[in-house]
Each structure stands twice: as C-alpha cells, then as structure tokens.
C-alpha cells in the first residue's frame, strides 16, 4: 500500500478522471475478508455490484419528503473525513465512555441525515450482508447527492473500512462558519488538502442547502464585537436577512445558503460572493479577506465565471478529501453491521 504522503502527492497531481483510473488500475479487490490495498472504483463489483444503485434508490426516496437531504449528506461526508479521516467515525454513537462526534458543537443540532445513512445500510445489508462499509456509504451518498442536484459526477473510490473509535475533541475543531481565512487555510492544510483550490472548491458545496439564523446574526448586528453589521455584507442582502433573522429572534430558523437557486448544485455560490452576498462569514472571507487577493479570491473569480471549471475542481477535490486517511487494514477497522455501533466481538 502506498504511504499517505505518496497518496497525497499522486492525488494532487491528477485530475478526477485520471486519479480514479490510476487507483482503479492498481487496487486489489477484497476477497475472503481481506481488505483492498488501495481504494478503487470497482471495489464492490464482485461482492455487491448494485451498491451504487441501492444507495441511489434510498436517496431518491428520501428526497421526496426532504428536499434538504442531499446537502445534508455531503456535509456528513465532509465532517467525517476531517476527523480521523474518512472512517465513518461521525456515525458512531457514544459507547464505552467514548463520546460521539455527533455531540460536538459543529454537529450537535445541525448535522442530519443519519437516518438516511442507516436506511441505505439496511438496504445494502439485505442485498450484500457484511460487505459495504458505512464510510463508503457516506462517500457514495455525497457523489449521488451532488449529481442528482445538477452537479458533477465522479468515480467514487471505494474500499474503506469503518473505524473503531470516534473523537469528539477533534470534531470540535472542524472548519467553522466564523473562521477567518487564515484559520480555514490552516485547517485544510492539517487535513492534507490544498489550502487554496481545495478550500474554495469544497466550500462551493454551500451552493445548496439551508443554514440556521444563529450563524449570521453576528454579521447582521454585532460583527467582531463592534455592535455594527459586517461591512462586507451587501446592504440589500443584509436588509433581506435582517427580516429573516431579526435581532433576538429564533436562532434555529432556516435560510437558503444560496437564495438564487437554493436546491441546485451550480456556480451561483461564487457569483454571490462576487457581490458580497455570502451567507456565512467563512464563505465571504474567500473573496473579501484582505489576504484573499493573492490566494483564494482569484479562484472564486474563476469559478464564478466558469461552472465547468468549478465542477472539474470540485470533483477532483472530493476525490482528494475522500482519500484522507482511509482505513484499509482489517486489524484497524471493520464493516459495521450498524453504522452507529462497532461490531460486538
């Protein structure tokens, strides 16, 4: 198996299609309970050939009653990969004194979609018992969610095992809505991702979904303790948000991250940033922070001008993120029977 540093260099030098093709060529399919040496696109071709279709069917059904679910599922994959790597640790409930990542501040009360992941797991267990990991379900659900919302598809690399531990402490340090650009860049570097292109591309997932008022009220009424609004916030958009999120109002009220096409995966997130209409501080920082001019702002400009450029970079960055510290050694992971619990001995 390639070292993590080697994998990172390979990932950074190849596009989405080239990366998927390369890893598919070198991986070994699992057999007889032995995990693959490397993630690959055809990992389940022999053991669960309908895995993708099964997950897709569950998501399509869930979306009929929950239009937010696609954005919620990609967020789960993101939050999973940034803590201990893409190992399904986010899905674990608290057990044996190990606190669940679900209870960390960035997840508690806002991360959602666990029931849909459980439904996909149950459907896969019916078809292929003990084969498809919960970590891989998150990766598949993220790609399916984006593609069904009008975004790009990509060849999902598979073969992750589910980890045996979780880390609420590490989950407390996920990239957050109030982070400045320097903090965001540092967190992406710490995750072995590029702190400019990957940061901007993956932030583009905020082109769909909803967000609670509590994450914008400081920008509207008391930015950085000034008792004034964020000066980078477009005045008309600020007036609109003030109606939606009044001072001392219900902090859990939901708003569209992208007011133009709230349920479509497109480049409008970036066109919003161009005119100072990013909902979250961490989003607008990519364009408006003083240090952004030589780092992230040109990438925002490029994606605002070309949806094809955004889609290509997003697919590549998703593959890179999905390759963060995957568990492939069966002595360090397993295929959980239920995503919220490690298997009993």
């Amino acid at each position: 198996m390639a070292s993590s540093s080697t994998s990172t260099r390979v990932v950074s030098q190849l596009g989405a299609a080239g990366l998927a093709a390369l890893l598919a060529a070198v991986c070994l399919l699992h057999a007889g309970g032995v995990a693959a040496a490397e993630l690959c696109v055809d990992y389940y071709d022999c053991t669960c050939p309908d895995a993708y279709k099964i997950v897709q069917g569950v998501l399509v059904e869930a979306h009929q009653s929950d239009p937010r679910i696609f954005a919620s599922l990609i967020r789960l994959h993101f939050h999973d990969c940034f803590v201990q790597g893409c190992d399904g640790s986010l899905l674990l409930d608290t057990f044996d004194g190990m606190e669940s990542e679900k209870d960390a501040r960035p997840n508690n009360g806002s991360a959602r979609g666990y029931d849909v992941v459980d439904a996909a797991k149950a459907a896969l267990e019916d078809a292929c018992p003990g084969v498809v990991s919960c970590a891989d379900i998150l990766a598949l659900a993220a790609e399916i969610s984006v593609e069904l919302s009008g975004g790009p598809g990509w060849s999902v690399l598979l073969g992750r095992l589910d980890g045996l531990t979780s880390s609420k402490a590490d989950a407390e340090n996920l990239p957050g809505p109030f982070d400045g650009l320097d903090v965001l860049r540092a967190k992406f570097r710490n995750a072995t991702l590029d702190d400019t292109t990957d940061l901007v591309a993956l932030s583009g997932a905020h082109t769909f979904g909803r967000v609670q008022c509590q994450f914008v009220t400081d920008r509207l009424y008391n930015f950085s303790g000034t008792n004034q609004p964020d000066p980078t916030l477009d005045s008309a958009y600020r007036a609109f948000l003030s109606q939606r999120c009044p001072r001392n109002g219900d902090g859990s009220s939901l708003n569209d991250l992208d007011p133009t096409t709230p349920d479509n995966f497109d480049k409008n997130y970036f066109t919003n940033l161009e005119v100072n209409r990013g909902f979250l501080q961490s989003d607008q920082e990519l364009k408006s922070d003083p240090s952004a001019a030589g780092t992230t702002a040109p990438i925002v400009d490029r994606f605002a001008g070309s949806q094809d450029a955004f889609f290509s970079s997003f697919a590549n960055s998703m593959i890179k993120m999905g390759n963060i510290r995957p568990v492939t050694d069966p002595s360090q992971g397993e295929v959980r029977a239920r995503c919220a619990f490690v298997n009993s001995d």
Side-chain angles (χ1 to χ4, degrees), residues 61-83:
E61 182 177 357
H63 186 258
Q64 293 175 0
S65 58
D66 184 2
R68 300 170 54 199
I69 194 59
F70 291 158
S72 298
L73 289 169
I74 193 171
R75 185 168 183 252
L76 289 185
H77 185 43
F78 184 100
H79 282 210
D80 181 48
C81 290
F82 265 70
V83 179

Side-chain angles (χ1 to χ4, degrees), residues 37-116:
E38 186 59 272
L39 303 184
C40 56
V41 296
D42 53 358
Y43 186 80
Y44 296 116
D45 278 9
C46 295
T47 55
C48 195
D50 292 329
Y52 185 95
K53 291 181 180 179
I54 290 170
V55 176
Q56 184 181 56
V58 171
L59 266 60
V60 168
E61 182 177 357
H63 186 258
Q64 293 175 0
S65 58
D66 184 2
R68 300 170 54 199
I69 194 59
F70 291 158
S72 298
L73 289 169
I74 193 171
R75 185 168 183 252
L76 289 185
H77 185 43
F78 184 100
H79 282 210
D80 181 48
C81 290
F82 265 70
V83 179
Q84 300 188 161
C86 307
D87 63 351
S89 61
L90 171 62
L91 305 174
L92 287 172
D93 286 347
T94 294
F95 71 99
D96 290 341
M98 187 175 297
E99 293 183 282
S100 173
E101 294 169 24
K102 297 175 182 178
D103 296 328
R105 181 175 42 84
N107 296 321
N108 190 17
S110 61
R112 59 192 299 275
Y114 302 114
D115 57 331
V116 178

Side-chain angles (χ1 to χ4, degrees), residues 48 50-62 73 91 113-129 131-134 136-142 144 336-339:
C48 195
D50 292 329
Y52 185 95
K53 291 181 180 179
I54 290 170
V55 176
Q56 184 181 56
V58 171
L59 266 60
V60 168
E61 182 177 357
L73 289 169
L91 305 174
Y114 302 114
D115 57 331
V116 178
V117 176
D118 289 342
K121 178 61 175 174
L124 287 164
E125 286 297 301
D126 284 343
C128 323
V131 173
V132 181
S133 69
C134 300
D136 275 350
I137 292 173
L138 289 177
L140 287 167
I144 292 167
R336 292 184 207 139
R338 293 185 295 167
C339 292

Side-chain angles (χ1 to χ4, degrees), residues 88-272:
S89 61
L90 171 62
L91 305 174
L92 287 172
D93 286 347
T94 294
F95 71 99
D96 290 341
M98 187 175 297
E99 293 183 282
S100 173
E101 294 169 24
K102 297 175 182 178
D103 296 328
R105 181 175 42 84
N107 296 321
N108 190 17
S110 61
R112 59 192 299 275
Y114 302 114
D115 57 331
V116 178
V117 176
D118 289 342
K121 178 61 175 174
L124 287 164
E125 286 297 301
D126 284 343
C128 323
V131 173
V132 181
S133 69
C134 300
D136 275 350
I137 292 173
L138 289 177
L140 287 167
E143 191 276 343
I144 292 167
S145 294
V146 170
E147 191 166 20
L148 289 178
S149 301
W154 59 91
S155 297
V156 182
L157 303 176
L158 300 167
R160 301 165 189 82
L161 295 175
D162 296 318
L164 305 176
T165 64
S166 61
S167 177
K168 179 175 181 280
D170 288 347
E172 297 286 0
N173 198 39
L174 283 161
F178 307 113
D179 287 344
L181 184 57
D182 288 345
V183 173
L184 290 170
R185 293 183 66 192
K187 288 181 178 181
F188 269 68
R189 288 194 301 271
N190 290 340
T192 71
L193 294 172
D194 180 86
D195 65 354
T196 53
T197 301
D198 289 335
L199 168 59
V200 177
L202 293 174
S203 295
H206 287 168
T207 192
F208 66 167
R210 311 290 185 269
V211 64
Q212 297 177 15
C213 279
Q214 62 176 309
F215 298 114
V216 77
T217 50
D218 280 355
R219 295 190 72 201
L220 296 174
Y221 307 112
N222 189 28
F223 183 66
S224 297
T226 63
N227 206 33
Q228 297 293 324
D230 182 349
T232 68
L233 191 58
D234 173 76
S235 58
Y237 188 46
R238 183 175 73 242
F240 169 77
L241 291 178
S242 296
Q243 293 292 319
R244 301 274 305 175
C245 301
R247 190 191 294 265
N248 300 320
D250 182 0
S252 64
S253 294
L254 294 174
N255 299 267
D256 298 326
L257 275 165
D258 170 13
T260 58
T261 52
D263 296 317
N264 295 343
F265 197 96
D266 53 30
K267 71 179 180 66
N268 287 1
Y269 166 84
F270 299 103
T271 59
N272 292 336

Side-chain angles (χ1 to χ4, degrees), residues 272-326:
N272 292 336
L273 297 186
E274 295 282 281
V275 293
N276 296 322
R277 292 190 172 207
F279 187 96
L280 298 175
Q281 176 186 343
S282 56
D283 290 331
Q284 194 60 53
E285 291 275 326
L286 303 177
K287 175 64 179 178
S288 301
D289 185 272
S291 68
T295 56
T296 55
I299 304 170
V300 171
D301 297 341
R302 179 160 58 89
F303 292 165
S306 172
Q307 185 158 280
D308 287 344
F310 166 46
F311 280 8
S312 177
S313 290
F314 182 82
N316 187 44
S317 293
M318 285 298 294
I319 291 175
K320 291 174 67 175
M321 186 182 77
N323 205 46
I324 297 175
R325 296 167 56 193

